[in-house]
């Protein structure tokens, strides 16, 4: 109902010649990322079209090549390289270190990961929305979040639902209507006053970004979601790497649920915010209940109808409503296409066993791998659970079909087809499949997530993407110059 409610105010026009436009800091956090990725993000940030911006590269690894990159890069804005001697607090501690160092701050700042290359008009897009808010809403603004967009795969080849369309098209717009959009760690514009009053960014947590957003909401600040991406990054391509990523997310959500007292008793949240957080960040609870009940009732129904063929047994009365809620509800989600709904449905079941791993990690306080640390390509230990469950479901369905009872045959056949379709990503991964990688990143719609938002048809955005291509070519030239300088230095030393 919230997703179908009237949209927010239309965007306002921004005059870049206006002297009263606020200053914005662009914060790029980096630790051990590839220097080419950092160079692409830095050079894209330097080309942002905004009169008052300052670029900060927060280098937690204190790398010499990053320092050389920052000293040799130039563009429309000032660029500052800030280092730390350690990685305490991870990304949250990195940003907090910068926040406490900055003595003449701009009122707003944008957070970007090292691989998220911003589009030239990204700041204008944020402020075209902020200008539609009244004075009270501007004072209580916490942050504005945008969706993550990835440039290393073709949109029509998103086998594993990397863009998480269910979240982008259904959950995020609904939570934005409640002014409770979660912070996802990158691609957000922050009100500096809101984050400092909320106790800065949360540190040493698997999902410190979401916890930080919840702390801001507990201080009565609001957050919103804008549908158009403002930067393009890199995502994992194989299913095992994505499973490791989701285990890390789920571990953080489990910890967060206990930290905020299951959200229902969290101080400062409104009741609708508590319910929203319980249904999203606490969704792992309902996932455990839903998956175990639907698998269990399907097994019992198949075995029961094979032994006592009765069309209206209690197992059917239990399994049919669960089947409708568990499967058909996904297919009724607003906003997404039917294929996106189907992908979201099957991936929710693929990632479910990882919730058990995440629960154990949270209880034992075990450190979880990041997606960049994962080197698995085809197989993940979690897939053993899927194979066992699928074997049990298919075996019980075949057992029901062997009775030659018409009702049992229909039920067993439907069960086999449905669960094989759900387990399809597992087979794709074991056979070496991955998301289809985009061979060339262009302004064509085929390499964009199919979000179907009006802002994608604007001529300004098409020009922005063309400029981004030109910036990438310039980046390659600068990297080549740096490599030539290094080779000349080594020759001179020899």
């Amino acid at each position: 109902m919230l997703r179908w409610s009237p949209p927010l105010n239309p965007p306002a026009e921004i005059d870049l010649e206006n002297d009263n436009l606020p200053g914005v800091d662009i914060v790029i956090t980096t630790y051990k990322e590839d220097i080419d990725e950092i160079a692409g993000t830095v050079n894209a940030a330097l080309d942002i079209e905004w009169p008052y911006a300052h670029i900060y590269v927060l280098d937690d690894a204190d790398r010499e090549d990053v320092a050389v990159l920052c000293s040799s890069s130039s563009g429309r804005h000032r660029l500052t390289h800030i280092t730390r001697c350690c990685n305490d607090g991870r990304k949250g501690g990195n940003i907090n270190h910068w926040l406490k160092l900055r003595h003449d701050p701009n009122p707003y700042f944008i957070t970007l990961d090292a691989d998220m290359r911003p589009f030239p008009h990204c700041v204008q897009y944020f402020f075209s929305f902020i200008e539609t808010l009244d004075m009270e809403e501007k004072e209580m603004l916490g942050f504005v979040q945008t969706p993550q967009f990835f440039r290393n795969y073709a949109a029509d080849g998103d086998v594993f639902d990397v863009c998480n369309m269910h979240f982008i098209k259904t959950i995020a717009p609904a939570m934005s209507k409640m002014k409770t959009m979660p912070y996802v760690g990158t691609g957000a514009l922050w009100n500096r006053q809101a984050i400092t009053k909320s106790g800065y960014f949360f540190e040493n947590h698997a999902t410190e970004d979401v916890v930080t957003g919840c702390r801001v909401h507990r201080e009565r600040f609001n957050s919103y979601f804008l549908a158009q991406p403002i930067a393009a990054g890199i995502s994992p391509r194989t299913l095992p790497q994505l499973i490791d990523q989701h285990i890390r997310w789920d571990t953080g959500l489990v910890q967060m649920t206990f930290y905020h007292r299951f959200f229902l008793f969290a101080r400062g949240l409104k009741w609708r915010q508590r319910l929203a957080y319980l249904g999203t960040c606490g969704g792992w609870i309902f996932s455990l209940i839903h998956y175990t009940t639907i698998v269990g009732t399907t097994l019992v129904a198949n075995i029961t109808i094979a032994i006592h063929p009765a069309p209206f047994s209690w197992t059917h009365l239990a399994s049919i409503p669960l089947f409708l809620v568990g499967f058909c509800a996904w297919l009724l989600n607003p906003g997404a296409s039917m294929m996106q709904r189907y992908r979201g449905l099957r991936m929710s079941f693929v990632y479910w066993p990882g919730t058990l791993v995440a629960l154990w990690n949270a209880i034992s306080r075990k450190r979880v791998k990041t997606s960049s640390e994962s080197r698995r390509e085809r197989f993940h230990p979690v897939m053993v659970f899927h194979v066992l469950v699928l074997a049990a479901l298919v075996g019980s369905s075949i057992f029901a079909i062997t009775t030659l009872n018409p009702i049992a045959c229909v039920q067993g056949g439907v069960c086999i087809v449905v669960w094989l379709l759900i387990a399809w990503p597992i087979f794709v991964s074991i056979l070496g499949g991955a998301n289809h990688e985009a061979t060339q990143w262009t302004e064509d719609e085929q390499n964009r997530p199919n979000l179907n938002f009006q802002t994608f048809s604007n001529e300004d955005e098409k020009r922005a993407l063309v400029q981004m291509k030109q910036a990438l070519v310039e980046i390659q030239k600068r990297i080549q110059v740096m490599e030539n300088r290094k080779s000349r230095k080594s020759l001179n030393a020899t």
Side-chain angles (χ1 to χ4, degrees):
M1 292 175 65
L2 286 165
R3 175 63 179 81
W4 285 326
S5 61
L8 298 171
N9 297 330
E13 293 291 334
I14 299 295
D15 181 14
L16 295 181
E17 302 298 327
N18 185 357
D19 294 333
N20 295 323
L21 293 176
V24 178
D25 292 331
I26 312 297
V27 179
I28 303 170
T29 55
T30 175
Y31 183 42
K32 293 182 179 179
E33 293 81 4
D34 185 74
I35 187 63
D36 293 345
E37 287 299 328
I38 302 172
T41 303
V42 168
N43 284 279
L46 288 169
D47 288 334
I48 289 176
E49 296 182 0
W50 191 255
Y52 313 107
H54 193 157
I55 316 299
Y56 289 91
V57 177
L58 310 186
D59 181 12
D60 251 3
D62 194 9
R63 295 161 54 183
E64 183 179 355
D65 53 355
V66 177
V68 172
L69 169 68
C70 293
S71 61
S72 61
S73 300
S74 61
R76 296 179 177 178
H77 311 293
R78 290 177 56 196
L79 175 61
T80 303
H81 178 224
I82 297 179
T83 64
R84 288 200 302 167
C85 60
C86 57
N87 183 236
D88 292 346
R90 292 188 276 191
K91 183 165 70 172
N94 196 2
I95 301 177
N96 288 339
H97 175 254
W98 166 77
L99 283 170
K100 295 170 183 177
L101 282 179
R102 188 85 163 92
H103 299 299
D104 54 342
N106 287 318
Y108 299 98
F109 65 93
I110 296 174
T111 54
L112 294 172
D113 286 343
D115 63 313
M116 298 297 292
R117 301 177 183 177
F119 299 128
H121 298 298
C122 63
V123 180
Q124 297 179 49
Y125 181 53
F126 278 121
F127 282 96
S128 65
F129 166 76
I130 292 176
E131 289 303 312
T132 64
L133 305 177
D134 58 35
M135 289 302 298
E136 183 179 355
E137 289 174 327
K138 288 182 181 178
E139 290 177 358
M140 297 308 298
L141 174 65
F143 60 91
V144 182
Q145 181 65 61
T146 59
Q148 294 192 41
F149 166 48
F150 305 104
R151 64 183 186 274
N152 64 323
Y153 73 93
D156 56 357
D158 188 11
V159 180
F160 304 130
D161 192 32
V162 171
C163 271
N164 200 353
M165 286 299 174
H166 171 60
F167 178 80
I168 288 177
K169 293 202 167 187
T170 304
I171 296 176
M175 295 192 75
S176 183
K177 298 289 175 57
M178 293 186 286
K179 305 178 182 180
T180 318
M181 173 63 196
Y183 174 52
V184 301
T186 184
L189 180 139
W190 277 90
N191 178 0
R192 186 184 300 268
Q193 184 179 13
I195 189 62
T196 53
K197 284 187 176 180
S198 303
Y200 296 95
F201 284 81
F202 204 85
E203 301 181 11
N204 294 316
H205 196 276
T207 51
E208 55 196 18
D209 42 14
V210 186
V211 180
T212 300
C214 188
R215 289 174 66 175
V216 170
H217 294 144
R218 291 177 66 171
E219 295 297 327
R220 303 294 186 178
F221 289 100
N222 302 322
S223 63
Y224 302 89
F225 175 74
L226 299 185
Q228 180 178 333
I230 57 98
I234 298 291
S235 72
R237 290 186 60 246
T238 65
L239 182 57
Q241 293 172 2
L242 287 166
I243 290 176
D244 280 331
Q245 184 182 64
H246 277 261
I247 288 175
R248 179 173 61 86
W249 290 348
D250 289 341
T251 301
L253 294 179
V254 172
Q255 294 171 347
M256 179 180 175
T257 303
F258 289 112
Y259 177 81
H260 289 289
R261 295 178 290 183
F262 289 85
F263 304 105
L264 295 178
F265 306 100
R267 177 189 59 81
L269 291 179
K270 301 176 183 178
W271 271 105
R272 62 180 183 177
Q273 291 177 323
R274 298 177 186 183
L275 294 175
Y277 267 110
L278 181 62
T280 52
C281 299
W284 60 273
I285 303 172
F286 306 105
S287 175
L288 289 173
I289 298 172
H290 173 228
Y291 192 92
T292 51
T293 51
I294 198 169
V295 170
T297 53
T298 302
L299 285 172
V300 173
N302 284 337
I303 296 172
T304 304
I305 201 171
I307 299 175
H308 301 289
F312 297 106
S313 64
W314 68 268
T315 54
H316 288 85
L317 295 177
S319 61
I320 290 175
L322 286 169
F323 180 87
L324 294 175
V325 170
F327 292 95
C328 297
W330 272 88
L331 302 181
L332 295 176
N333 281 334
S337 67
M338 187 57 68
M339 178 55 70
Q340 291 167 350
R341 297 172 191 177
Y342 164 59
R343 287 174 177 170
L345 166 65
R346 71 189 186 188
M347 294 312 296
S348 70
F349 280 87
V350 168
Y351 292 138
W352 176 83
T355 306
L356 295 175
V357 180
L359 186 60
W360 170 252
N361 290 339
I363 294 174
S364 62
R365 298 185 178 182
K366 180 182 177 182
R367 182 187 178 275
V368 293
K369 288 184 178 180
T370 64
S371 55
S372 60
E373 294 174 332
S374 177
R375 295 294 180 264
R376 298 185 175 107
E377 293 293 333
R378 291 192 178 190
F379 187 77
H380 193 285
V382 165
M383 293 181 183
V384 175
F385 184 88
H386 284 294
V387 173
L388 294 176
V389 170
L390 186 63
L393 290 168
V394 172
S396 65
S397 300
I398 295 174
F399 178 57
I401 293 174
T402 55
T403 64
L404 301 181
N405 179 281
I407 298 176
C409 290
V410 171
Q411 176 176 305
V414 170
C415 178
I416 291 175
V417 171
V418 168
W419 284 101
L420 287 178
L421 287 173
I422 289 176
W424 178 250
I426 304 295
F427 302 133
V428 171
S429 178
I430 292 175
L431 295 175
N435 273 339
H436 302 311
E437 188 167 4
T439 56
Q440 183 180 10
W441 184 43
T442 69
E443 66 273 20
D444 297 338
E445 291 294 330
Q446 63 179 0
N447 289 334
R448 286 176 166 270
N450 186 20
L451 299 178
N452 297 325
F453 295 120
Q454 288 184 349
T455 47
F456 277 151
S457 62
N458 291 343
E459 292 298 324
D460 286 343
E461 278 305 313
K462 292 182 179 179
R463 286 196 297 270
L465 286 171
V466 172
Q467 294 173 1
M468 194 66 195
K469 283 177 59 181
Q470 296 171 350
L472 291 174
V473 173
E474 184 64 26
I475 290 165
Q476 293 175 352
K477 291 180 180 178
R478 293 183 181 181
I479 292 173
Q480 187 62 41
V481 171
M482 292 173 62
E483 289 177 350
N484 292 338
R485 288 177 181 172
K486 287 181 179 179
S487 56
R488 284 197 299 269
K489 287 181 179 179
S490 60
L491 286 173
N492 293 335
T494 305

